[in-house]
Amino acid sequence: MNEKELKEKINALRHEIDRKDKEIKRLYKEINFHKAEADRLRVERDESTDKIKKLNTEAKEFIKKRDSVNNEISEFKKRRTILLTEIKSLRSNMRDTKVQRDELNRIAGGTSERLQISYENGLDTLLNKDIPLQDEIRIFENLFEIKDRFIAAKKANTMHKDVSETYGGIKDVNKELDDIHDKIQNLAQESQNNHENAMKRYKEIDELRKHSDECHKGLLEKYDYMNPLRDNVTSIKKEIKEIQEKVAPFITELEKIRSDREERKKEESVIEAKEKLQSKKRLSMEDFRILLERNEIKFEENAGNSG
C-alpha cells in the first residue's frame, strides 16, 4: 500500500474514531441529563424517608400519651360507676327512710317537743290535781297514747337526721361525680388532641410515603434508561480501541515510508555535500552539519581549508 493509500486509510479510520467520540459525548450528555434528574429523585426520596422516620416517632409519642390519658379516663369511669352505685343505694335508702319517717310523723301527729309538753302537763294533772275518776282514767289512757306518739316522733326525728345525713352524703358524692365528670371531659379533650395530632402525622406519612415511592420508581426508571446508554458507551469505547489497534500498523507503515524517504533525502544531501567538499565548493551550514553528523569531516585534515 503506497503513502497516499495509507493516508486515506488512516484518515478514514480516524474519521470513524472522531464520529464515535462525538457519539460518546452525545451519550454522556444524555446520561448526565438523566443522572441529574436521578440525583434529584434520590435526594427527594431520602428526605421523604427521613421526614417519615421523624413523623412516625412523633406519632408514636402522641399515641402513647393518648393511651396513657385513656387509661386515666378508664380509672375515673370505674370510680364513677362505684359512686353511681353508691348514690343509687343512698337514694334508695333515703326514700325508704323518708317513707318510714313520714309514717312516724303521721302517727306522732306533732313534734316531739309539743308531745313532751302535753305528756308532762297530763302527768302533772294526774299526779297533782284532784279530778274525777272518769277524767283520771281518760288522762291516764291519753298519756299512754301521747307516749307512743312521742316515741314515734323521736324515731321520726332520728330518721329525719339520717335522711339529712344521707342527703349530705349524696351531695358529697354528687360533687365528686361532678369533679370526675369535669376531669373526664378535660382528659377526653386531651386524648382527642393527641389522637388528632397522631392521625395528622400518619396522614403526612402516607403522603410522604406515596411521594417517596414515586421518587423511587422514577429513580429505577432512570437507571433502566441510563444503563443501556452506559453499556452503549462501553461498547463504543471498545470499538474505538479496536479501530485504534487496526490503524496502528498503518501509521507504523506510513511512518516507515516517511522515514525511508527522509533517509533517502539525507543520503542525497550527504552525497551532494561530499561532492561540494571534494570539489572544494563553498559549503552551507546545512551541508556542514550533515557532513559532521556522518563523520565525513575531520578537523585535523581540513584545518587548512577553513575560509
Side-chain angles (χ1 to χ4, degrees):
M1 197 178 293
N2 60 36
E3 185 176 1
K4 182 181 178 182
E5 291 172 337
L6 285 170
K7 284 182 179 179
E8 290 176 353
K9 188 68 175 177
I10 290 169
N11 287 336
L13 292 171
R14 283 177 173 169
H15 178 73
E16 183 67 14
I17 289 173
D18 289 341
R19 188 183 66 78
K20 290 185 180 297
D21 278 335
K22 289 179 182 178
E23 178 64 11
I24 287 175
K25 288 178 182 178
R26 186 192 69 78
L27 289 170
Y28 271 132
K29 185 177 181 181
E30 189 172 356
I31 288 170
N32 289 334
F33 172 79
H34 291 290
K35 185 177 182 298
E37 184 66 12
D39 290 341
R40 181 189 68 80
L41 291 169
R42 187 185 301 105
V43 169
E44 288 190 18
R45 180 198 64 185
D46 293 345
E47 286 178 349
S48 295
T49 300
D50 291 340
K51 288 179 182 178
I52 286 170
K53 289 179 181 177
K54 181 182 177 183
L55 288 170
N56 193 46
T57 299
E58 291 177 1
K60 286 181 178 178
E61 283 298 316
F62 281 117
I63 291 295
K64 184 178 179 182
K65 289 178 182 178
R66 181 201 66 185
D67 292 345
S68 176
V69 171
N70 286 343
N71 287 336
E72 286 187 64
I73 292 174
S74 178
E75 291 301 316
F76 277 121
K77 284 184 175 179
K78 288 178 183 178
R79 175 61 181 166
R80 183 180 64 183
T81 300
I82 292 172
L83 291 175
L84 288 172
T85 301
E86 181 180 341
I87 203 170
K88 183 178 180 182
S89 176
L90 288 171
R91 282 173 176 167
S92 177
N93 290 337
M94 188 173 70
R95 282 195 298 270
D96 292 343
T97 303
K98 277 183 177 181
V99 169
Q100 294 178 36
R101 180 202 64 186
D102 292 345
E103 178 63 20
L104 289 169
N105 281 332
R106 186 189 65 77
I107 292 170
T111 64
S112 60
E113 291 80 5
R114 288 178 61 187
L115 290 170
Q116 185 174 2
I117 291 171
S118 295
Y119 183 82
E120 289 173 351
N121 289 337
L123 186 63
D124 180 68
T125 300
L126 186 65
L127 295 175
N128 300 315
K129 293 181 178 180
D130 187 16
I131 57 175
L133 178 61
Q134 187 177 356
D135 290 338
E136 183 177 334
I137 292 171
R138 181 179 58 78
I139 290 173
F140 186 78
E141 289 176 350
N142 194 35
L143 284 176
F144 277 104
E145 180 188 353
I146 291 172
K147 181 180 179 181
D148 290 338
R149 289 172 59 198
F150 177 75
I151 291 171
K154 291 291 286 183
K155 285 182 178 179
N157 288 341
T158 300
M159 287 187 174
H160 181 74
K161 183 179 178 182
D162 290 342
V163 167
S164 297
E165 289 177 354
T166 301
Y167 181 73
I170 290 172
K171 285 181 66 177
D172 291 340
V173 172
N174 276 328
K175 185 177 182 304
E176 187 175 352
L177 282 171
D178 289 340
D179 290 341
I180 288 174
H181 175 76
D182 291 341
K183 287 176 181 177
I184 288 175
Q185 291 299 310
N186 292 333
L187 288 171
Q189 186 59 54
E190 183 180 347
S191 174
Q192 182 64 23
N193 290 339
N194 285 321
H195 179 75
E196 289 176 358
N197 282 325
M199 294 305 104
K200 180 181 178 181
R201 279 153 181 78
Y202 282 133
K203 184 178 178 181
E204 289 182 55
I205 286 171
D206 288 340
E207 293 172 355
L208 284 169
R209 186 170 284 120
K210 181 180 178 182
H211 181 66
S212 177
D213 291 343
E214 289 174 353
C215 288
H216 184 69
K217 181 182 177 182
L219 186 61
L220 293 178
E221 289 174 352
K222 289 297 176 183
Y223 286 149
D224 289 341
Y225 193 87
M226 286 188 291
N227 287 337
L229 296 178
R230 290 193 176 104
D231 292 341
N232 200 5
V233 168
T234 301
S235 177
I236 294 173
K237 284 183 177 181
K238 184 179 178 182
E239 290 174 4
I240 289 174
K241 186 177 179 181
E242 290 172 352
I243 295 171
Q244 287 171 337
E245 290 173 353
K246 187 186 295 184
V247 80
F250 297 124
I251 293 174
T252 301
E253 187 176 350
L254 180 61
E255 288 175 349
K256 186 176 183 305
I257 291 173
R258 288 174 175 174
S259 177
D260 290 345
R261 184 172 64 242
E262 288 298 319
E263 189 61 33
R264 284 195 301 272
K265 286 176 67 176
K266 284 182 181 181
E267 287 298 329
E268 291 172 359
S269 297
V270 170
I271 292 169
E272 185 180 343
K274 283 175 68 177
E275 288 176 352
K276 286 181 180 181
L277 181 62
Q278 289 170 0
S279 61
K280 295 185 179 181
K281 291 181 179 180
R282 188 176 182 84
L283 297 173
S284 66
M285 288 300 295
E286 182 64 22
D287 293 334
F288 192 66
R289 184 186 63 76
I290 292 170
L291 291 172
L292 283 176
E293 287 179 355
R294 295 299 183 95
N295 292 322
E296 295 292 340
I297 295 178
K298 305 295 184 185
F299 286 101
E300 62 276 11
E301 294 176 359
N302 297 286
N305 293 330
S306 60

